[in-house]
Amino acid sequence: MAALRVFGFSLLVTALALVAGYAHGGLNALFLLVALAVLEVSLSFDNAIINAAILRRLSRFWRQMFLTIGILIAVFGMRLAFPLLLVWATAGVDPVRAFDLALNPPPHGALEFPDGSPSYEKLLVSAHPQIAAFGGIFLLMLFLDFLVQDRDIKWLKWIEIPFARIGRLGQVSVAVAVVALVLVGTTLTHSGQERATVLTAGLLGLVTYLVVNGLSRAFRPPDLEAAAGGTVVAAGKAGLTLFIYLEVLDAAFSFDGVTGAFAITSDPIVIALGLGVVGSMFVRSITIYLVEQEALDRYVYLEHGAHWAIGALAVIMLLSIDPHLEIPEALTASVGVVFIGAALTWSVLRNRRIAKTA
């Protein structure tokens, strides 16, 4: 019953999205919509776990904002408006013209029109290095900050314990991220202009993470982290900053999904329905379910597995800057499942050992 209550609205929205997709493009659009929804959920399960770790610290008001305003931002902001704005910023094509290009692609799936002008898909794909650098560095910082933090419960102790000791030096994650960005920018780019673009985008990702993470720490109640079971919740300014932090995280996680969607279709309506409406709704429902079932307290390694999956995703995004390194979508989608599945298994075994001891 709890699962039906949490996922009921998502199922209703999915049914409406399927009807809208069929009305938009028939059976072909319906099939593509389902494929995109599956892609989004498989790529974002680690996102749901990280969201749950933050959401359980928010007040009821900000949780509701995450499910209402947050979903609007996810659907219309990141899955529809963001690609159009990106084409505008990188190619100088205004959003209205970009939307028209997206709705009217070249015949036979070509990347250029007969007159030689680029298609919407080609314009967006050409912006992939900037997207990958920004999102990859942002997610790498999230992983590194988790890795160097000294925690009472550790999963992969042979790695986490040494990094926790190194983390006492301070700003280790920033130093590692900058070194990674320099290596990527100098070895995976093929022109001076592309190198400058990648380095700039990566630095913007780093600065964005530091600003948002700094604000969330500045307004966080002092007893929030110490509260057992998350009994102290963030409201007011603290809730607002954590809500913004959640939305920026969702944006960073959506980069790979948005760009990967073009391997399936370039139709912005189908992408918005598949990734945004169906996929994002289910990711949010999974997040709420994890919070209400207190899954992160019962399966203590889940958060660890999610962060390791994020670290792997960040590396994949940074490597994808080089167009000659073709990384299969199946690998990107499965890496999170592998880490989270392993973390869940370890958590279950840990619980059984504790039960036997008791």
Side-chain angles (χ1 to χ4, degrees):
M1 291 299 293
L4 181 61
R5 178 177 55 80
V6 174
F7 289 94
F9 186 66
S10 294
L11 293 173
L12 175 61
V13 170
T14 297
L16 295 175
L18 292 176
V19 172
Y22 180 78
H24 172 67
L27 289 176
N28 183 56
L30 191 63
F31 173 77
L32 295 175
L33 192 157
V34 173
L36 287 172
V38 173
L39 173 68
E40 175 72 3
V41 174
S42 62
L43 286 175
S44 300
F45 198 82
D46 48 358
N47 185 13
I49 295 175
I50 301 304
N51 285 349
I54 300 172
L55 198 65
R56 63 178 177 171
R57 299 182 293 178
L58 289 174
S59 65
R60 183 176 296 274
F61 170 78
W62 286 109
R63 290 185 187 185
Q64 194 62 36
M65 290 291 288
F66 176 72
L67 293 174
T68 52
I69 302 300
I71 193 66
L72 292 177
I73 295 174
V75 175
F76 297 103
M78 290 309 303
R79 274 75 177 184
L80 185 59
F82 170 73
L84 299 174
L85 294 174
L86 192 62
V87 169
W88 182 28
T90 57
V93 179
D94 66 84
V96 175
R97 171 61 177 161
F99 190 69
D100 180 65
L101 287 174
L103 289 178
N104 301 283
H108 310 298
L111 293 179
E112 292 183 350
F113 290 94
D115 62 358
S117 59
S119 66
Y120 174 76
E121 180 180 356
K122 183 176 182 179
L123 290 173
L124 191 59
V125 169
S126 65
H128 177 75
Q130 297 97 300
I131 300 173
F134 182 96
I137 291 297
F138 187 98
L139 294 179
L140 182 62
M141 281 294 301
L142 179 65
F143 165 68
L144 291 172
D145 269 357
F146 178 87
L147 187 62
V148 300
Q149 186 176 354
D150 194 7
R151 299 175 178 273
D152 294 333
I153 298 177
K154 296 178 177 63
W155 180 34
L156 304 179
K157 296 181 180 180
W158 57 283
I159 298 178
E160 294 179 5
I161 290 178
F163 271 93
R165 292 172 178 169
I166 296 173
R168 298 171 188 170
L169 299 174
Q171 303 303 321
V172 174
S173 55
V174 176
V176 174
V178 169
V179 171
L181 177 60
V182 171
L183 290 175
V184 167
T186 54
T187 59
L188 300 183
T189 55
H190 304 284
S191 67
Q193 182 179 359
E194 185 182 8
R195 185 175 302 113
T197 301
V198 166
L199 292 175
T200 302
L203 287 175
L204 287 175
L206 176 63
V207 170
T208 301
Y209 176 85
L210 292 175
V211 169
V212 175
N213 192 50
L215 287 174
S216 68
R217 291 179 181 275
F219 291 109
R220 185 176 302 170
D223 51 353
L224 184 62
E225 293 294 342
T231 55
V232 176
V233 297
K237 291 181 179 179
L240 174 61
T241 53
L242 283 179
F243 172 76
I244 294 173
Y245 189 34
L246 272 174
E247 292 306 312
V248 175
L249 276 181
D250 180 74
F253 275 106
S254 70
F255 289 154
D256 60 326
V258 171
T259 54
F262 282 86
I264 300 174
T265 179
S266 59
D267 189 326
I269 304 299
V270 175
I271 290 176
L273 288 173
L275 292 186
V277 177
V278 180
S280 293
M281 280 301 302
F282 267 97
V283 170
R284 275 159 173 71
S285 294
I286 293 171
T287 300
I288 294 297
Y289 188 77
L290 291 173
V291 172
E292 292 189 354
Q293 298 299 312
E294 298 180 347
L296 299 186
D297 294 326
R298 290 189 290 126
Y299 306 107
V300 295
Y301 297 137
L302 267 183
E303 193 173 351
H304 294 73
H307 277 91
W308 277 98
I310 290 168
L313 178 60
V315 172
I316 290 173
M317 289 184 71
L318 292 174
L319 290 177
S320 69
I321 290 174
D322 188 348
H324 299 103
L325 294 175
E326 295 187 6
I327 302 174
E329 287 292 333
L331 174 62
T332 307
S334 61
V335 66
V337 176
V338 171
F339 274 110
I340 292 171
L344 179 61
T345 303
W346 256 259
S347 299
V348 171
L349 294 175
R350 176 182 183 273
N351 292 344
R352 289 179 179 177
R353 286 196 303 269
I354 293 175
K356 287 183 180 180
T357 304

